[in-house]
Amino acid sequence: MRKEILLPAVAVIGGGVGFGLRRWELATAFEADTGLPIAGAPATTALILLSVVMAVALLALSRGKYPDFGGCDVAFRARGNTLYAMTGVLSAFLLLGAGGMGAMEFARDGARMYTTLIVAVMAVASGFCVLATVRNHFREEGKGKYSAALLVPAFTYCVWLIAAYQVRAGDPVQLDYVYELFAIISGLLALYFIAGFSFEKGKPAAAIFFSLLAAYFSLTTLADQHSWSTVLLYCFTILYLLTNSAILLYNAARPLPAKPVENDTEGTSDV
């Protein structure tokens, strides 16, 4: 099976199993009266083991020899790829929806921290950036070098990580929120390495590994209780990063496009 199909499939299947184990853990691994974790709960042990196995497996599968793409325009080229365009546009609308829902949730609950409103605003900005990025790769416009559109989503995840931790900082039970933090951190690292291609610092293996790991943890933490805006952010993480890892693996298995030949007319003269 081709790697651009196999690796995302492994992440999705693992995430599905993680979702089930997390639901089991939430139902059986915490004391009903205090909310404290039960030591040695089989669901907790199983989910931890699965997460370790998934991290090791995805790391091993992501490693390999990759071509020197030279930039994101080559690494993520998708000229005429309708499936890429559809998933990319849907990812952008998930971000726009998350921003809109986050703003409404903030307005409804004035006690929420202002970082959540900042995340909502940045999610909207990131949605338009994703649309611009997808259009660039789909049409091969060649506008990917030093692209701010690739940086904004990564900055959004930085603020999202701060906001998520602020909400959970007073919770002494780390098992309540550890998987959602893992999802945000791995998503942040994935977007960071994807943006690195725009600045000639592309690391395909790292970008693919953290993209797949973020998809796994995002699917797992969907079993938790989240606001609708947060659910949409996790859905964006899953869809967008799986799409990017698939297109990167697809391009890595095919010849690089020929570079345009520049005619050197220096030193010539008319006779």
Side-chain angles (χ1 to χ4, degrees):
M1 184 181 292
R2 297 182 304 183
K3 293 186 71 174
E4 66 267 22
I5 298 175
L6 174 63
L7 271 66
V10 170
V12 170
I13 293 171
V17 176
F19 177 89
L21 290 178
R22 181 62 173 167
R23 290 295 296 268
W24 179 29
E25 181 182 35
L26 293 172
T28 63
F30 297 90
E31 296 178 358
D33 51 347
T34 65
L36 295 175
I38 300 173
T44 299
T45 303
L47 185 53
I48 292 173
L49 289 175
L50 173 66
S51 298
V52 172
V53 169
M54 285 297 299
V56 173
L58 293 175
L59 179 62
L61 290 171
S62 300
R63 297 183 64 183
K65 187 176 181 180
Y66 294 93
D68 182 10
F69 292 109
C72 71
D73 288 323
V74 175
F76 298 98
R77 65 191 186 277
R79 187 176 186 87
N81 190 325
T82 306
L83 180 59
Y84 169 81
M86 291 175 59
T87 56
V89 170
L90 179 56
S91 299
F93 277 100
L94 287 172
L95 273 179
L96 294 173
M101 290 294 297
M104 289 191 292
E105 290 164 1
F106 179 85
R108 185 184 61 210
D109 185 2
R112 292 173 66 92
M113 298 179 182
Y114 279 96
T115 48
T116 59
L117 179 59
I118 297 173
V119 172
V121 173
M122 294 187 70
V124 173
S126 296
F128 289 109
C129 288
V130 168
L131 284 174
T133 300
V134 171
R135 181 182 63 186
N136 176 62
H137 296 330
F138 180 72
R139 297 180 179 178
E140 292 191 9
E141 296 175 340
K143 299 178 180 178
K145 190 172 184 179
Y146 305 136
S147 172
L150 287 169
L151 292 175
V152 174
F155 291 147
T156 301
Y157 274 59
C158 288
V159 182
W160 183 20
L161 178 60
I162 296 171
Y165 183 75
Q166 282 182 330
V167 172
R168 295 290 198 171
D171 188 348
V173 183
Q174 295 179 349
L175 281 176
D176 285 341
Y177 57 90
V178 64
Y179 291 103
E180 63 181 273
L181 292 185
F182 283 158
I184 300 172
I185 291 170
S186 52
L188 167 60
L189 290 171
L191 292 169
Y192 167 79
F193 283 109
I194 289 173
F197 286 90
S198 181
F199 298 87
E200 301 177 355
K201 301 289 184 180
K203 296 182 179 179
I208 293 168
F209 169 67
F210 284 112
S211 294
L212 299 175
L213 193 65
Y216 162 74
F217 279 123
S218 294
L219 284 165
T220 299
T221 194
L222 282 178
D224 295 307
Q225 294 292 328
H226 298 294
S227 65
W228 279 110
S229 61
T230 303
V231 169
L232 291 178
L233 284 173
Y234 285 126
C235 289
F236 163 78
T237 303
I238 296 165
L239 184 60
Y240 185 69
L241 294 183
L242 285 178
T243 300
N244 275 271
S245 60
I247 200 69
L248 185 57
L249 287 165
Y250 178 85
N251 290 332
R254 282 150 184 79
L256 295 177
K259 295 182 179 180
V261 178
E262 298 182 0
N263 294 325
D264 185 6
T265 58
E266 185 179 354
T268 63
S269 59
D270 295 331
V271 177

